[in-house]
Amino acid sequence: MKEERYQYEESPSYVSRREFIAISGIVIAILALPAVWIRSAVVKRNSYIRARLNGLYKDDAGSKVRVSHGNSGVAKLYKDFAGHPLSEVSEELFHTQSYVNRTRI
Amino acid sequence: MNAEARTYQKGEIPGIIGIDADVCKGCDSCKRYCPTGAITGMFGAIHSIDVEKCINCGQCLINCPFGSIYETVDTVDTVIAKLQDKSVTVVGIPAPAVRVAIGEEFGMADGSLVTKEMYGAMRKVGFEILDNNFTADLTIMEEGTEFIVRARHALFGEEAHGHKVGPLPQFTSCCPAWVRYVETKYPSLIPNLSSAKSPQQMAGPLAKTYGALEIWKKPPESIYTVGIMPCTAKKFEASRPEFASAYHFLKKEGKAGSDTPYPDIDTVLTTRDLARLFKKMKIDFTKAGETDGGPLAEYTGAGTIFGNTGGVMEAALRTAYKVLTGNELQPLEFKPVRGMKGVKSASVTLMDTKYGKEVTVNVAVVNGIHGNIEPILEKIMAGTSSYHFIEVMNCPGGCVNGGGQPIKSGGSSWLRAALPLFGWK
Ligand code: SF4
Ligand code: SF4
Ligand code: SF4
């Protein structure tokens, strides 16, 4: 330990200017690396998210019916079974009153 | 996992996400993605997750560069056994975001839309299909109508027939991570959550009542419902004890066929899980053949964009506009709520023909709740928010980037891409 500290104090005088610049360059490059790496990872991350977002927008644009109230299967479900939105059956099966305050369980 | 978990109801799975202490390198990456500060551990030391704070979103899992985070629940083999049991009707419920991601697990390009191939492979292994997009459309009908009731109550003092009307702004409730976030951190805002269940939790009771009795003509108790989700938090949601509404509904009519309550959703597979199931069952996804999904797979463009940030809002606006004005929204695309900005907001002025008055609706869309949602919630609690309707999805980009999706930036591939950079001397 002691010897190391001794070296640390003494060695700069043994490093030439050229060497010092080279070493600084390497140190800076190492410090900068994680930033570059993280940035490229984030860019990549956004590109696959974007591809998936576009996939669903494409699905929408290519659909014959593009509004929920135009879904004939859902209309049939209301006609034959649930009645209308917020009906008693809807409230019972499709809604919940059971959100819980989890700070008090 | 944790027998004394305090923020869980009896019967719920406490903690869907765990960190493997043998693999964790203590690199701290996961913390940056966690919306709740649930991950503890010093840089360089093994990290762990506080299940009380965790909302099960899985964002840490898909972003850990060492693949050290795992799901504690894996039911692929259970589902395979059910598929092979001829006395059980297994109903698969694939979410919107699954159809633009599962192809990636079979070497297809990012974002490939593979609805027909997915149906084909699912039919081949024995699933009946109830497309979650169908219940996304149903969600819009229910949640959109609820919003109109709340808005007319707040603006015109209209009384609703028989049930109490919640306050504005109305929050969407389709993201179970977001719901748990409100329940654990902002319980005073619970009344603002839409009472509409998520599309998954509407699909369960629908399959076991209408589906069983009218479509498949099978006894309800023989239906086994499998949510197929881009999401790890959906595994938690399905385990919430109150979600046995089909059983209670049928019981009253003497049709439940059992004396022990069964859950609306029996189990949940993530997109990754479903891909693994296909591989285990030796299905070549790219060659499985294309089919239609059947009567409960009908869906619209509005239902499918539920998987995108802003999609629920856009779909709701299309329908609310029609209900209020009598006309279709033109154009249907509502661009201000699209894109990956953390908070997007917009105003729509429209004529409520019932009252003959113009109303301006202020909406906000939040994705990636980490850092984005708190200022908005503080304003609502202070009574200074001007928003009427707020869509919240926990994951950046929405469910397409959910914690159950194919892993792209995480895993060792992410790290390996950077390693050559270390090669220089
Ligand atoms: S990102 Fe993965 S390896 Fe890094 S600290 Fe978190 S769990 Fe450990
Ligand atoms: S699952 Fe989500 S909330 Fe839980 S520790 Fe991971 S990032 Fe945080
Ligand atoms: S945004 Fe979607 S994928 Fe992410 S936690 Fe919420 S429901 Fe799950």
Side-chain angles (χ1 to χ4, degrees):
Chain A
M1 255 337 235
K2 253 189 197 140
E3 251 175 29
E4 250 176 40
R5 186 172 302 146
Y6 179 73
Q7 261 187 5
Y8 173 72
E9 280 165 358
E10 290 299 308
S11 56
S13 60
Y14 289 95
V15 176
S16 71
R17 204 182 120 78
R18 272 173 70 125
E19 279 170 333
F20 180 74
I21 289 169
I23 291 170
S24 307
I26 291 168
V27 167
I28 288 167
I30 289 174
L31 287 177
L33 191 59
V36 172
W37 169 22
I38 285 163
R39 194 184 54 202
S40 79
V42 167
V43 170
K44 259 217 222 131
R45 182 174 125 96
N46 287 349
S47 85
Y48 79 79
I49 299 173
R50 239 172 224 123
R52 292 177 190 164
L53 290 169
N54 288 338
L56 287 182
Y57 284 132
K58 204 175 87 190
D59 197 13
D60 171 30
S63 297
K64 270 200 227 93
V65 183
R66 298 181 63 191
V67 291
S68 299
H69 51 276
N71 184 324
S72 63
V74 170
K76 188 171 181 323
L77 162 71
Y78 279 122
K79 189 168 137 280
D80 295 349
F81 182 71
H84 54 86
L86 303 184
S87 70
E88 225 169 279
V89 173
S90 288
E91 288 283 349
E92 203 171 336
L93 293 178
F94 307 142
H95 290 258
T96 176
Q97 304 299 332
S98 304
Y99 299 122
V100 281
N101 181 340
R102 292 182 187 270
T103 60
R104 286 215 215 108
I105 289 183
Chain B
M1 203 171 126
N2 184 342
E4 290 161 44
R6 282 174 295 107
T7 58
Y8 292 83
Q9 305 181 74
K10 204 159 162 259
E12 286 175 343
I13 307 169
I16 300 289
I17 308 293
I19 294 179
D20 186 340
D22 291 337
V23 189
C24 176
K25 301 283 181 291
C27 71
D28 248 12
S29 302
C30 48
K31 279 189 187 168
R32 276 186 297 137
Y33 294 95
C34 180
T36 59
I39 303 175
T40 51
M42 299 278 285
F43 183 74
I46 293 164
H47 286 43
S48 63
I49 294 173
D50 177 351
V51 292
E52 310 294 358
K53 285 190 185 159
C54 177
I55 55 177
N56 308 306
C57 68
Q59 280 300 308
C60 53
L61 188 158
I62 58 169
N63 287 296
C64 169
F66 297 95
S68 34
I69 309 185
Y70 65 97
E71 291 170 56
T72 60
V73 185
D74 174 3
T75 54
V76 170
D77 290 334
T78 319
V79 174
I80 292 176
K82 293 284 178 190
L83 286 166
Q84 286 161 347
D85 180 344
K86 290 286 163 270
S87 66
V88 180
T89 305
V90 184
V91 178
I93 303 161
V98 177
R99 70 207 64 208
V100 288
I102 191 163
E104 293 165 20
E105 295 276 357
F106 298 92
M108 301 169 84
D110 290 358
S112 302
L113 177 65
V114 292
T115 316
K116 292 275 161 68
E117 291 87 336
M118 179 181 75
Y119 289 163
M122 285 175 69
R123 299 287 297 156
K124 212 164 201 172
V125 295
F127 281 107
E128 291 292 343
I129 296 167
L130 193 176
D131 199 316
N132 209 205
N133 287 10
F134 179 94
T135 40
D137 280 328
L138 181 63
T139 302
I140 286 302
M141 299 307 288
E142 295 292 337
E143 187 163 347
T145 309
E146 182 191 3
F147 175 68
I148 291 169
V149 168
R150 285 192 194 207
R152 282 182 175 157
H153 180 73
L155 297 171
F156 306 124
E158 182 177 290
E159 289 304 323
H161 34 278
H163 48 85
K164 58 176 196 293
V165 184
L168 293 179
Q170 174 171 311
F171 294 134
T172 56
S173 58
C174 36
C175 172
W178 158 239
V179 169
R180 186 172 153 77
Y181 183 89
V182 175
E183 289 177 326
T184 49
K185 293 186 82 164
Y186 292 91
S188 68
L189 295 176
I190 286 175
N192 295 72
L193 284 168
S194 164
S195 70
K197 292 178 187 170
S198 71
Q200 167 175 278
Q201 293 307 139
M202 289 198 189
L206 183 68
K208 294 191 179 190
T209 57
Y210 180 72
L213 304 171
E214 312 258 338
I215 306 287
W216 299 301
K217 316 266 187 225
K218 292 276 164 56
E221 69 279 14
S222 74
I223 304 274
Y224 187 80
T225 43
V226 184
I228 298 167
M229 298 288 141
C231 179
T232 44
K234 290 280 170 190
K235 294 189 175 184
F236 165 76
E237 182 184 45
S239 78
R240 294 180 64 125
E242 67 268 24
F243 289 150
S245 47
Y247 172 80
H248 295 294
F249 179 85
L250 293 164
K251 185 87 182 157
K252 278 189 302 188
E253 302 187 355
K255 293 183 193 153
S258 160
D259 283 326
T260 34
Y262 37 79
D264 290 334
I265 291 289
D266 288 287
T267 195
V268 174
L269 298 180
T270 60
T271 308
R272 293 191 299 272
D273 290 341
L274 182 66
R276 211 149 36 83
L277 178 140
F278 287 150
K279 284 173 186 164
K280 273 196 167 177
M281 295 183 85
K282 305 259 181 306
I283 294 291
D284 186 344
F285 184 81
T286 52
K287 294 202 191 78
E290 308 185 356
T291 55
D292 282 326
L296 292 181
E298 184 185 340
Y299 70 84
T300 74
T304 205
I305 55 174
F306 256 62
N308 288 354
T309 169
V312 178
M313 187 58 77
E314 187 170 340
L317 286 175
R318 290 180 191 178
T319 289
Y321 193 90
K322 165 76 180 172
V323 174
L324 290 173
T325 66
N327 302 316
E328 296 290 352
L329 183 66
Q330 289 294 346
L332 280 175
E333 290 86 2
F334 193 69
K335 293 273 164 68
V337 295
R338 296 190 177 189
M340 288 189 51
K341 225 171 98 204
V343 181
K344 293 163 279 184
S345 51
S347 297
V348 194
T349 302
L350 39 77
M351 175 66 88
D352 187 342
T353 46
K354 183 172 171 191
Y355 287 89
K357 280 195 185 132
E358 291 231 309
V359 285
T360 298
V361 179
N362 302 324
V363 304
V365 171
V366 178
N367 71 109
I369 64 181
H370 188 20
N372 292 322
I373 195 72
E374 277 178 351
I376 294 177
L377 299 183
E378 297 301 334
K379 263 190 142 177
I380 294 170
M381 290 199 296
T384 56
S385 171
S386 60
Y387 292 129
H388 301 114
F389 197 1
I390 304 179
E391 175 204 294
V392 187
M393 295 192 191
N394 174 77
C395 302
C399 304
V400 289
N401 183 35
Q405 294 283 60
I407 294 170
K408 308 298 283 194
S409 54
S412 49
S413 57
W414 189 64
L415 192 63
R416 221 172 288 133
L419 282 180
L421 295 175
F422 290 103
W424 58 276
K425 291 242 162 62

